[in-house]
């Protein structure tokens, strides 16, 4: 084979599917390169043309029963499938529990170790499989120790300890499990001994006795907003966010787990705070920042109110330099909320550079092209030492980043992402892709691979977040938490008192001109615009209006409305959440979202693709596959997705892509934006054909 020609071929080629009892595998042919055995090492180093090629067969689990998924932790040769194990352990909570998986693992071990007739394997392979299962238990204990922390009795760890005593009594696994169990039981006993005696109070509630040392009361007079160091403020918010983000449990972000966030502690993994305690902690911190942006702004008179807005923008600028996109997004959301956004006189008082800076910061979180700007930033700066990416028109941010590079170019920073983007992606995957496939209702493991790709991004950014070296200022933390906040109704009512609704022609000509010039920014789509003054940054919420909008255009229902109501009503970072929010204001919020949805454009379609290439029709029937189409997908990108779904080989340029209409086809150009080019008055059915050679 010509090596240059071989280099141009794809490394992986889809071969087909293979079915076994309880499982379906996708089979690929992988091209690998090896040195010719009849050449010496020196000859091979001098002449790379001696490299030759071979093709190996690779099976990936596409769907399977839970029992089969556990069996596949070891390959046919008995080796640990590292990538598969990582995906399985990161996502199994979507379709099983720790207790079920542990039981199946231990049962599998006993079958292999006891030479059961149910498993037909040679002795040497049995032994290899047994070793691999023990290794898988090691990986599980190391990677997800929280799965075995269910106080006060720790049943999963107790069960594993009993297994080790019976089967591998003096092994490394047995010693680790025993020591960990003893340590956890000891900690529980010590905590129980330290619990102070409860004393009753007049209202009948029970509280723990608290003794306050008057000598340790903190003096917070040095902190007074807006007379505060913006750099220190940004660093302290970053300290808080870093602590929460590094302790985030990535699998709690899964759509199916996040949807169960209201469950009692111990429901999943035994973690305090319910099924998604670490995610909710991050959400609460995001809300805390946004609520304080709103309350500090509204509680000032006009000149000071403009100064407050300006100060928050400067803090946001410092957060951008520190690559803390979580608190940056929280501040932008707070400033774009209805109670603040509508204060035209306050915004008109900003100087040109400050307003330009705010516009540049807001563009980072634009919803255009599936939040392309934010995703591009994370891709470029996620593991970089410092911020170094700005748009060509972002003159104010260019100055800020250059100033930071000049002053502290040797200091490296971590990265803290806006978690809402990942939560949205995982929720879309959870709602758009079925959990089970086929008549056998096999667990859709391809879906878990897609989820794992996003969880892996979160874990990578968690490692990067450790790059910060700030120390938490306890005085600042206490002062920040003590800032009073308003619920959504209070905030909007106060905003209307400060600047009542007036026709624009009643403003002075100078103020009107300044207002139009300065108020040209649009509210970020992630902030719901409501008449009740809601200030929320939320997931896309499908409603009955949106469903009828899609139906009138011949579209299938939104994937986000295909699940239960507990999932479809999911709100991620809603700054109106909290104990102060009233049911009346929440009802008004939902009503206003419903009314706004009638003009809301969807962010993606689920389309169906087929092909007329030989071998893809079954019994004369046209076979369609579903893929997701986002609002920035070009024709060649969609064709590539379709090729993977349909098992087509070659390059996207080798095919044409057309929408199937009632009596004709709509052929799309190679570089068209498919989302906007499609005819939504017809079914979203498309066909991929081989392009005719000229």
């Amino acid at each position: 084979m010509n090596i240059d020609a071989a280099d141009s071929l794809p490394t992986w080629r889809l071969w087909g599917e293979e079915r076994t009892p309880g499982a379906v595998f996708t089979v690929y042919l992988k091209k690998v390169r090896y040195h010719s055995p009849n050449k010496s090492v020196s000859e091979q180093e001098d002449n790379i043309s001696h490299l030759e090629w071979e093709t190996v067969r690779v099976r990936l689990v596409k769907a399977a029963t839970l029992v089969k998924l556990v069996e596949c932790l070891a390959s046919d040769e008995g080796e640990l499938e590292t990538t598969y194990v990582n995906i399985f352990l990161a996502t199994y909570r979507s379709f099983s529990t720790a207790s079920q998986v542990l039981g199946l693992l231990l049962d599998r071990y006993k079958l292999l170790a006891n030479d059961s007739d149910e498993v037909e394997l040679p002795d040497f392979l049995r032994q290899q499989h047994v070793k691999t299962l023990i290794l898988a238990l090691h990986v599980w204990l190391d990677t997800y120790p929280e799965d075995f922390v269910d106080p006060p009795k720790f049943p999963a760890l107790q069960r594993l300890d009993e297994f080790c005593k019976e089967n591998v009594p003096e092994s490394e696994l047995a010693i680790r499990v025993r020591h960990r169990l003893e340590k956890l039981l000891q900690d529980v006993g010590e905590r129980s001994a330290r619990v102070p005696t409860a004393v009753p109070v007049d209202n009948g509630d029970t509280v723990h006795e608290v003794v306050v040392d008057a000598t340790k009361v903190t003096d917070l007079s040095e902190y007074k907003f807006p007379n505060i160091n913006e750099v220190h403020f940004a660093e302290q918010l970053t300290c808080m966010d870093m602590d929460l983000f590094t302790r985030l449990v990535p699998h709690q972000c899964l759509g199916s787990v996040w949807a169960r966030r209201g469950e009692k502690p111990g429901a999943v993994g035994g973690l305090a705070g319910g099924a998604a305690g670490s995610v909710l902690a991050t959400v609460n911190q995001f809300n805390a920042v946004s609520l304080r942006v709103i309350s500090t702004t509204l509680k000032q008179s006009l000149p000071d109110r403009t100064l407050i807005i300006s100060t928050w923008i400067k803090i946001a600028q410092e957060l951008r330099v520190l690559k803390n996109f979580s608190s940056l997004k929280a501040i932008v959301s707070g400033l774009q909320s209805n109670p603040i956004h509508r204060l035209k006189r306050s915004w008109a008082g900003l100087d040109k550079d400050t307003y330009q800076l705010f516009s540049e910061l807001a563009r980072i979180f634009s919803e255009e092209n599936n939040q392309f700007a934010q995703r591009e930033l994370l891709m470029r700066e996620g593991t970089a030492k410092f911020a170094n990416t700005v748009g060509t028109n972002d003159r104010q941010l260019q100055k800020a980043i250059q100033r930071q590079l000049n002053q502290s170019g040797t200091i490296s920073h971590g990265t803290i992402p806006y978690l809402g983007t990942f939560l949205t992606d995982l929720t879309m995957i959870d709602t758009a892709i079925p959990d089970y496939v086929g008549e056998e209702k096999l667990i859709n493991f391809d879906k878990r691979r897609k989820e794992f790709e996003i969880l892996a991004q979160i874990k990578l950014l968690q490692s990067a977040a450790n790059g910060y070296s700030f120390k938490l200022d306890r005085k600042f933390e206490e002062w920040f938490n003590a800032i009073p906040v308003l619920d959504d109704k209070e905030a909007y009512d106060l905003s209307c008192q400060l600047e009542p609704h007036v026709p624009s022609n009643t403003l002075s000509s100078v103020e009107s001109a300044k207002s139009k010039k300065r108020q040209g920014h649009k509210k970020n789509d992630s902030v719901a615009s409501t008449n009740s003054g809601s200030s929320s940054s939320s997931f896309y919420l499908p409603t009955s209006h949106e469903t009828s909008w899609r139906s009138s255009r011949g579209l299938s229902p939104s994937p986000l409305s295909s699940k239960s109501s507990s999932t479809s009503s999911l709100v991620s970072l809603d700054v109106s959440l909290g104990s102060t929010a009233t049911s009346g204001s929440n009802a008004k919020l939902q009503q206003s979202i419903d009314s706004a949805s009638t003009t809301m454009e969807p962010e993606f379609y689920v389309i169906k693709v087929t092909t007329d290439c030989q071998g893809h029709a079954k019994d004369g029937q046209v076979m369609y596959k579903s893929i997701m189409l986002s609002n920035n997908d070009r024709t060649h990108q969609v064709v590539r997705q379709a090729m993977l779904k349909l098992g087509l080989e070659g390059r996207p340029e080798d095919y044409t892509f057309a929408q199937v209409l009632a009596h004709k086809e709509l052929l799309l150009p190679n570089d068209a934006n498919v989302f906007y080019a499609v005819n939504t008055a017809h079914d979203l059915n498309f066909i991929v054909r081989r392009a005719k050679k000229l």
Side-chain angles (χ1 to χ4, degrees):
M1 177 186 292
N2 180 277
I3 292 179
D4 292 334
D7 277 328
S8 65
L9 293 175
T11 305
W12 291 72
R13 293 174 59 189
L14 180 65
W15 183 80
E17 287 186 357
E18 179 180 305
R19 293 181 175 272
T20 62
V24 179
F25 297 87
T26 303
V27 182
Y28 291 90
L29 300 179
K30 182 182 180 183
K31 184 182 64 176
V32 296
R33 194 162 56 181
Y34 68 96
H35 290 287
S36 175
N38 60 354
K39 301 292 181 182
S40 67
V41 174
S42 59
E43 286 177 323
Q44 291 176 19
E45 291 175 350
D46 294 338
N47 189 355
I48 63 170
S49 65
H50 293 148
L51 295 174
E52 296 184 359
W53 300 87
E54 68 175 344
T55 300
V56 295
R57 189 169 174 271
V58 180
R59 294 197 317 171
L60 298 180
V61 179
K62 180 177 182 179
T65 62
L66 181 58
V67 173
K68 203 69 178 178
L69 289 177
V70 172
E71 290 180 13
C72 289
L73 293 172
S75 67
D76 292 340
E77 294 76 26
E79 301 293 333
L80 186 71
E81 293 278 14
T82 307
T83 302
Y84 175 84
V85 169
N86 288 332
I87 298 172
F88 178 84
L89 291 178
T91 61
Y92 79 83
R93 298 155 197 83
S94 297
F95 51 83
S96 185
T97 64
S99 177
Q100 283 181 307
V101 172
L102 180 62
L104 289 172
L105 258 173
L106 302 185
D107 290 345
R108 176 73 175 168
Y109 178 95
K110 292 173 183 177
L111 283 175
L112 292 166
N114 297 332
D115 296 331
S116 171
D117 294 336
E118 295 181 35
V119 181
E120 297 181 1
L121 287 174
D123 288 342
F124 74 94
L125 269 184
R126 280 179 179 268
Q127 294 304 315
Q128 185 59 45
H129 275 267
V130 165
K131 292 178 182 178
T132 297
L133 289 177
I134 296 295
L135 184 56
L137 287 169
H138 275 288
V139 174
W140 192 359
L141 278 169
D142 288 338
T143 314
Y144 301 98
E146 66 273 7
D147 288 357
F148 298 88
V149 181
D150 191 5
K153 295 185 178 180
F154 309 99
L157 212 53
Q158 292 271 19
R159 184 177 184 182
L160 188 54
D161 184 48
E162 293 171 3
F163 164 82
C164 290
K165 290 177 181 177
E166 180 182 344
N167 296 277
V168 284
E170 299 302 324
S171 66
E172 181 185 354
L173 178 64
I175 296 171
R176 290 184 62 195
V177 171
R178 184 167 63 252
H179 285 174
R180 182 170 298 187
L181 181 58
E182 290 173 353
K183 180 68 167 59
L184 289 171
L185 290 172
Q186 180 182 351
D187 290 344
V188 169
E190 290 176 355
R191 280 198 299 270
S192 299
R194 288 198 303 265
V195 173
T197 304
V199 295
V201 293
D202 293 341
N203 61 5
D205 292 335
T206 300
V207 297
H208 295 307
E209 183 178 7
V210 178
V211 179
V212 179
D213 186 349
T215 63
K216 295 183 179 180
V217 175
T218 307
D219 180 14
L220 304 178
S221 59
E222 63 181 283
Y223 296 105
K224 188 175 181 181
F225 202 81
N227 301 319
I228 193 168
N229 186 302
E230 292 95 354
V231 174
H232 183 66
F233 200 117
E235 289 176 351
Q236 291 308 303
L237 288 181
T238 301
C239 261
M240 299 178 191
D241 291 335
M242 179 192 69
D243 179 58
L244 291 169
F245 183 60
T246 53
R247 291 192 290 116
L248 177 79
V249 182
H251 65 72
Q252 292 186 0
C253 298
L254 289 169
S256 57
V257 177
W258 171 236
R260 303 197 302 266
R261 60 194 179 279
E263 291 182 356
K264 295 181 180 179
V268 176
L271 293 170
S278 65
V279 182
L280 283 173
T282 304
V283 171
N284 290 337
Q285 173 63 15
F286 179 98
N287 293 343
V289 175
S290 282
L291 287 169
R292 282 157 179 77
V293 171
I294 295 169
S295 63
T296 55
T297 304
L298 292 176
K299 291 185 177 181
Q300 300 294 331
S301 57
L302 180 57
D304 292 336
R305 198 156 56 244
T306 298
L307 178 60
I308 294 284
I309 292 175
S310 176
T311 302
W312 279 116
I313 292 173
K314 291 175 183 177
I315 294 170
Q317 173 187 264
E318 297 302 326
L319 288 166
R320 169 64 189 96
V321 171
L322 295 176
K323 300 190 295 175
N324 180 352
F325 296 100
S326 182
S327 283
L328 171 56
K329 168 68 173 175
I331 292 175
V332 169
S333 295
L335 292 173
Q336 289 180 325
S337 65
N338 248 13
I340 308 302
H341 178 265
R342 62 175 299 280
L343 300 174
K344 293 181 171 57
R345 293 188 180 91
S346 302
W347 285 97
L350 291 177
D351 62 79
K352 180 180 178 181
D353 287 348
T354 302
Y355 188 82
Q356 178 63 31
L357 173 61
F358 175 70
S359 298
E360 294 173 10
L361 293 168
R363 277 202 297 270
I364 294 174
F365 302 101
S366 169
E367 298 292 328
E368 292 182 0
N369 292 331
N370 193 23
Q371 303 172 350
F372 175 79
Q374 182 189 171
R375 295 175 190 275
E376 184 76 5
L377 268 180
L378 280 180
M379 186 180 298
R380 294 190 179 190
E381 296 185 2
T383 55
K385 291 185 176 180
F386 39 74
N388 57 9
T389 305
V390 290
T392 54
N393 297 323
D394 295 341
R395 290 176 294 176
Q396 301 304 318
L397 283 178
Q398 287 175 358
K399 294 177 186 177
I401 290 177
Q402 187 59 49
R403 183 168 61 251
Q404 182 258 354
L405 292 174
N406 294 338
Q407 294 175 355
S408 57
T410 58
I411 299 177
S412 62
H413 297 305
T415 302
I416 300 173
Y418 167 54
L419 192 62
T421 302
F422 297 109
L423 293 175
T424 302
D425 290 346
L426 288 166
T427 301
M428 290 175 67
I429 290 174
D430 184 53
T431 54
I433 304 176
D435 292 323
Y436 301 93
V437 296
E439 296 180 357
E440 301 174 74
K441 297 296 181 183
L442 301 178
I443 296 168
N444 187 352
F445 202 71
D446 273 351
K447 175 177 181 175
R448 307 308 161 196
R449 284 193 178 85
K450 294 180 184 296
E451 291 176 327
F452 179 75
E453 290 176 6
I454 297 174
L455 297 184
Q457 294 176 40
I458 295 175
K459 295 198 75 169
L460 180 64
L461 290 169
Q462 283 182 304
S463 299
N466 290 314
Y468 294 108
S469 57
F470 305 130
K471 292 184 178 179
L472 183 62
D473 181 347
R474 294 295 179 185
K475 286 186 178 181
F476 175 90
E477 183 182 33
E478 187 175 341
W479 167 79
F480 179 80
N481 291 332
I483 296 175
V485 297
L486 305 168
D487 67 34
D488 58 338
K489 186 178 186 303
E490 291 172 338
Y492 190 76
D493 289 346
L494 181 54
S495 176
C496 291
Q497 291 175 22
L498 296 172
E499 291 192 23
H501 288 289
V502 292
S504 58
N505 57 8
T506 63
L507 296 173
S508 68
S509 58
V510 175
E511 187 177 24
S512 179
K514 288 178 69 178
S515 178
K516 288 181 180 178
K517 182 178 181 180
R518 302 283 169 81
Q519 287 294 97
H521 68 286
K522 293 182 178 180
K523 290 179 288 183
N524 193 311
D525 290 345
S526 65
V527 180
S529 175
T530 74
N531 293 329
S532 64
S534 166
S535 53
S536 63
S537 175
S538 58
F539 282 154
Y540 173 59
L541 302 176
T543 64
S544 57
H545 295 285
E546 191 265 348
T547 303
S548 62
W549 182 89
R550 298 179 68 86
S551 300
S552 66
R553 288 158 176 77
L555 306 181
S556 59
S558 167
L560 289 179
S561 61
S562 62
K563 287 269 185 177
S564 64
S565 59
S566 62
T567 302
S568 63
S569 62
L570 180 61
V571 176
S572 72
L573 303 181
D574 188 344
V575 299
S576 68
L577 292 177
S579 59
T580 58
T582 63
S583 59
S585 62
N586 286 339
K588 192 177 292 185
L589 167 62
Q590 184 59 50
Q591 181 182 6
S592 60
I593 292 176
D594 288 351
S595 63
S597 299
T598 56
T599 58
M600 184 184 295
E601 286 283 340
E603 294 181 357
F604 64 91
Y605 296 133
V606 175
I607 66 173
K608 295 182 178 180
V609 293
T610 188
T611 181
D612 62 353
C613 296
Q614 187 175 3
H616 285 271
K618 185 175 181 180
D619 299 328
Q621 300 293 319
V622 178
M623 304 298 293
Y624 279 99
K625 299 282 187 177
S626 296
I627 62 174
M628 188 174 291
L629 173 67
S630 66
N631 58 11
N632 66 329
D633 283 342
R634 300 286 174 175
T635 304
H636 65 278
Q637 295 171 311
V638 181
V639 171
R640 184 179 287 110
Q641 290 185 62
M643 290 170 64
L644 290 173
K645 278 278 189 176
L646 298 168
L648 300 176
E649 297 181 359
R651 303 172 304 166
E653 294 80 7
D654 297 334
Y655 295 88
T656 62
F657 190 67
Q659 182 179 5
V660 180
L661 306 179
H663 304 291
K664 58 181 180 179
E665 293 180 358
L666 174 63
L667 183 64
L668 279 72
N670 287 334
D671 199 38
N673 186 316
V674 181
F675 184 88
Y676 295 105
V678 300
N679 187 335
T680 56
H682 294 77
D683 291 339
L684 298 184
N685 296 334
F686 295 81
I687 187 166
V688 178
R689 288 193 174 93
R690 283 210 173 266
K692 296 181 180 179
K693 296 182 178 180
L694 299 177

